[in-house]
Amino acid sequence: MADLLRDMRYALRVLLRSPGFTAVAVLTLALGIGANTAIFSVVNAVLLRPLPYPESNRLVYLGEWSEQVPEMSISMANFNDWRAQNTVFESMVGYQSDNVVLTGRGEPERLRLRRITAGFFPTLRVRPILGRELTPEDDKVGAAPVVLLGEGFWERRFGRDPRIVGQQLVLDQQSFTVIGVLPSRLHGSLRQMDLFTSLWRLEDELGGESNRGSHPGIYAYARMKPGVTVDHARAEMKSIARHLDELYPQSNGDDSVVLQPLLDAIVEDVRPSLLVLMGAVGFVLLVACANIANLLLARGVERHRELAVRIALGAGRWQLVRQVLTESVLLSLAGGMLGLLLAVWITAALVRGTPMGVPRMDEVSADRSVLFFTFCLSIVTGVVFGIFPALEASRADVQETLREGGRTGTAGGGRRRLRDFLVAAEVAVSLVLLVGAGLMAKSLFRVLQADGGINPANVLTARLSLPDAKYNDDAKRRNFVSQLVLKAQSLPGVEAAGYKNPLLGGAQNAYVIEGRPLPPPGRLPSADISRVSPEAMPVMGMRLLSGRYFDDHDNENTQHVCIIDETFAKQNFAAGDVLGKRIYSGGPPPAGQEPDWLTIVGIVAHVKNYGVDQPSRVEMYVPEAQRPAGGGSIVVRSAAATDPAALTTGLREAIRSLDPDIPLYEFRPLEDIVNENTASRRLSVLLIGSFAVLALLLAAVGVYGVMAYMVTQRGHEIGIRMALGASQREILEMVFRQGLRLALTGIAAGLAGAMALTRLMSNLLFHVGALDVPTFATGALALAAIVLLACWLPARRATRVDPIVALRYE
Amino acid sequence: MEPLIQLRNMEKVYEAGGSKFYVLRRVSLEIQPGEFVTFMGPSGAGKSTLLSIIGMLDGSWTGEYYFNGEPVHRLNVKKRNELHKANIGFVFQSYHLIDNLTVFENLEIPLSYKNVPHKERVSLVCDILDRFNIVGKKDLFPNQLSGGQQQLVGVARAVIQSPKLILADEPTGNLHSAQGEEIMELFRKLNEAGTSIIQVTHSERNAAYSHRVIQLKDGWVVSETSNAARVG
Ligand SMILES: Nc1ncnc2c1ncn2[C@@H]1O[C@H](COP(=O)(O)OP(=O)(O)OP(=O)(O)O)[C@@H](O)[C@H]1O
Ligand SMILES: [Mg+2]
């Protein structure tokens, strides 16, 4: 211990004696460790930290699985059977998400609501901070409507007034009694909920026991009994599902169960990109390490004599290693501390810059494990970059060094090889990052270039929902929508307006084609179906490939029609033989009566509803007028110069004049919605790109350092060569050849590394192969160019060597 | 016969902090082809400086310098380098071999700068190894040789391209007298074979090998003596 203290004191003195070196090293390390800490605090919060519930590793997520829809919601009857028959869960609860409109308390407001079954929060082991839980008595058909508030909503809307319990809230025209408030210590999606109410009270609307084929958006959480593993639970649930398939082949087909740890279910989408980021930022640190190791090696030359003297005085090899390592660890700890400050700042920027939809981003904070990570990382970093110089130092050849006397020797060919190796490694790692960033950037470019099937420019959208209680028949709904569209169309600046439900994507519905044999149950093909007003499709820029758009004649009194997309047409019909064919949508046609056939009147281009880089499904459109439903989005195309604020006000006034209790909400340009799909991709490109640039800079500095050092070291040799007749060009060539050798070694290793590693990110790529030749080639060329650039100054310096001066000193 | 080297009123000045410091003052001298000349003088007299100028490593001076009739003072750097490359070999007090090249590779360097084809290079190096009796050392590195052997290689490297003129700055300064004598004998043989030599030395014994001794002091040429005995 005393030894260690002495070593540290000495190391501190050595570091303070060369403040320039120390500052550069600490800054480089701070950058590397800071970036790593920042990304780690995101990874920690999102992937590693347990959910904020006691024994949360026993919580699982459940959904239904079928061939066509791998993650389907659970039918109510199946849910009840799963719950009754399983032996692996302590409790199992269901939920469904929805939006409701709060009225009667000033401006109507649309709120996020989750319908839950009784026992939902006890399963998570969360208790209300005020009032009481939802009981089984609240959770059945005919029970008095009750509601629990989220803490955020309670604070925002009621200023944490405890007297709210017992008061009434009017939601979608129905009165609910507030029974309690839940804490905000919930995971992301739950914390954002404003309201919680009973799910089973709506049993009849959800299909109930009798309608096993209906999947009304219910998903489930369960808490496994102590000692039950996820695999065990999954196996049992699958066997229960198989049994139900046998009992109810008509509705269940070959359905099965999806069961995942709850944490996995929440974060699985972001895990690959976060891990790639973590890897990338780790590489940056490696490059930084190599750089500092190089600096230390260069300094080692000067210290060689000191170390040789120490050996001559009897220092053991291990004592020397320890001495030098103490120095490097001290350096990296200083870098780590500065890095931590940097990380706080980077993390804040990251959290601010991250698009919605990355789960748990709001939980990011520097907790104890982040501090621990940074501490360990600093130590490891210090050892990694210190070990080469330390071993080098311990290998000092006493005799030679002392005999060499003052000569700042060209000795230590081993040292030079080591430095060359480190720089080549830096080049290699930077190339891996550069290629990775290049692939991501190219993917992003492809995504932005890709045809999504719609033209979102100058289209404003807003949502509305029609409460069932008031708009309780088709005529009322139809009427409201057509009135609203008419009013919107007459607003100044508006070129056309329409209505679509839902705005993007659709409700998945099984369909049957007239005259074709019926597939076995559960094997019916399905399509995303959406309801549109006649103008909606042209407003959104959907391209008609053949036939016609809907028009005002497609109404409740005329033949029922539909428009399909090109993939639907390709999958089911011969080219040119589509229009006029009839399909039935909504499951197998009812027996014993004429199905409600829809005649195909048009084919449109396929729309990539969930983002051009996401899988999309076969699509189909029906006229809103023939199948009205409760809510949707109004879409308005305006002249480019139109003020969106004025348009928003105009639309608000339009709807208020029709029904003051119905709010329009989520006013958003369609372009923003479409761009949101690429937001996380853009962030990844930005981050990996910055890491690559950082690594590249560090590598360039490293190359520069090594070459400059080489020129200094070999100034004598260069002098000799000039005295022997070397021309400037030949000296330049000599330096560049050396640099190029480094570059080529590094680039070859980097290309090999990139080939091995980019495969790991192939599921983040879009229309770009993980081994995309142009990207690899560009990366390699760019790196070669940068290395040569970094050689330029030292090479020029080499040509300025004055042979007389270089040769004089003896 | 045209002199090999002709200097007229050569001056060299160092400027330090606004004050001028003359290293060479109005140096005028001629050296004939085939001559073996020694520069002597106290430390700081300007001997090495003069040698560098003659060797065309140093271009900042005033006066006239004709090499083989070519006006060096009027040549640009490139031409000067060519002249140097084609005609002059250097031998240094501390040998200045390149540490991480073998003897063979060290000998190759001057040839590589004259674009001698590889085959010819190899045969030239082999010849010279033979002539200097160091074939056995060709794969050794400089630090594996004794000082005398290193200087032998140094001389070999200077003569490999058959220069008209060899410039040697205290070539035996770091050697024992026996080793030094060996080098001087070598110089004599080379000189007899027709190579002109200028050496700098502090040793009267080495000076005795040459035809003529030029004394420098504080940048001035102070005397010239012919070694009549040797001119014979
Ligand atoms: N770069 C320089 N700047 C200023 N003065 C210099 C420089 N190089 C050499 N000198 C001076 O020029 C003078 C001549 O130096 P030179 O090396 O030619 O002497 P020398 O005769 O070879 O001496 P020695 O016998 O010690 O080798 C010396 O006084 C030296 O201090
Ligand atoms: Mg000298």
Side-chain angles (χ1 to χ4, degrees), chain A residues 808 810, chain B residues 42-49 93 169-170 200 202:
Chain A
R808 177 187 296 280
E810 248 105 349
Chain B
S43 194
K47 308 179 293 291
S48 298
T49 307
Q93 173 177 359
D169 195 348
E170 301 186 46
V200 172
H202 291 289

Side-chain angles (χ1 to χ4, degrees), chain A residues 162-465:
Chain A
R163 286 166 305 177
I164 189 67
V165 174
Q167 295 189 24
Q168 300 290 309
L169 293 184
V170 178
L171 306 170
D172 282 355
Q173 318 288 339
Q174 195 179 5
S175 190
F176 286 71
T177 308
V178 177
I179 57 168
V181 178
L182 286 155
S184 61
R185 197 180 52 86
L186 301 169
H187 72 265
S189 61
L190 270 190
R191 180 167 25 188
Q192 284 157 14
M193 289 297 148
D194 301 312
L195 301 165
F196 300 90
T197 181
S198 149
L199 177 60
W200 276 177
R201 211 171 51 80
L202 304 183
E203 181 171 341
D204 297 340
E205 292 162 45
L206 296 171
E209 287 289 340
S210 57
N211 195 348
R212 209 173 269 275
S214 155
H215 297 261
I218 298 175
Y219 297 91
Y221 293 165
R223 181 176 284 273
M224 297 186 298
K225 289 178 178 161
V228 174
T229 65
V230 171
D231 286 337
H232 178 189
R234 187 181 295 126
E236 177 172 307
M237 293 315 292
K238 283 197 168 168
S239 94
I240 292 173
R242 213 170 310 119
H243 183 62
L244 292 175
D245 291 348
E246 282 160 19
L247 288 176
Y248 311 103
Q250 278 299 322
S251 56
N252 281 26
D254 58 357
D255 292 0
S256 186
V257 178
V258 178
L259 184 151
Q260 280 177 295
L262 182 53
L263 180 57
D264 287 6
I266 294 169
V267 302
E268 68 177 344
D269 290 344
V270 294
R271 180 174 284 137
S273 36
L274 277 180
L275 292 182
V276 164
L277 277 179
M278 195 73 223
V281 77
F283 276 173
V284 174
L285 188 58
L286 271 183
V287 174
C289 280
N291 246 0
I292 294 169
N294 251 334
L295 279 176
L296 283 176
L297 280 172
R299 247 162 46 95
V301 177
E302 292 147 31
R303 299 190 58 196
H304 227 204
R305 273 218 301 161
E306 171 210 326
L307 295 171
V309 170
R310 285 170 174 274
I311 293 178
L313 296 179
R317 202 130 279 207
W318 159 237
Q319 284 164 310
L320 282 188
V321 169
R322 202 185 54 188
Q323 167 72 54
V324 177
L325 273 187
T326 307
E327 249 175 75
S328 53
V329 170
L330 217 56
L331 264 184
S332 65
L333 281 176
M337 271 193 282
L338 193 58
L340 209 55
L341 293 181
L342 211 59
V344 170
W345 182 74
I346 302 176
T347 311
L350 268 181
V351 171
R352 236 178 300 119
T354 304
M356 306 263 295
V358 174
R360 307 189 78 193
M361 263 327 256
D362 52 343
E363 297 173 37
V364 172
S365 66
D367 63 2
R368 214 174 312 142
S369 38
V370 171
L371 290 178
F372 185 68
F373 169 84
T374 308
F375 179 72
C376 293
L377 188 70
S378 301
I379 301 267
V380 170
T381 302
V383 172
V384 165
F385 72 72
I387 196 74
F388 290 108
L391 289 178
E392 244 296 308
S394 75
R395 241 186 276 121
D397 184 333
V398 189
Q399 258 214 324
E400 193 174 308
T401 313
L402 292 182
R403 183 159 49 89
E404 262 176 26
R407 267 181 80 174
T408 41
T410 37
R415 179 197 309 276
R416 229 193 49 219
R417 271 193 297 282
L418 185 55
R419 300 200 57 190
D420 288 356
F421 163 79
L422 286 174
V423 166
E426 282 183 55
V427 170
V429 171
S430 311
L431 180 56
V432 172
L433 277 180
L434 194 60
V435 168
L439 291 175
M440 294 288 289
K442 195 162 175 179
S443 299
L444 175 61
F445 183 71
R446 293 263 154 95
V447 165
L448 296 178
Q449 291 276 300
D451 175 19
I454 56 177
N455 175 10
N458 299 325
V459 176
L460 183 70
T461 73
R463 294 178 59 177
L464 68 139
S465 51

Side-chain angles (χ1 to χ4, degrees), chain B residues 33-51:
Chain B
E35 243 195 314
F36 186 166
V37 175
T38 299
F39 291 164
M40 289 188 90
S43 194
K47 308 179 293 291
S48 298
T49 307
L50 184 54
L51 214 61

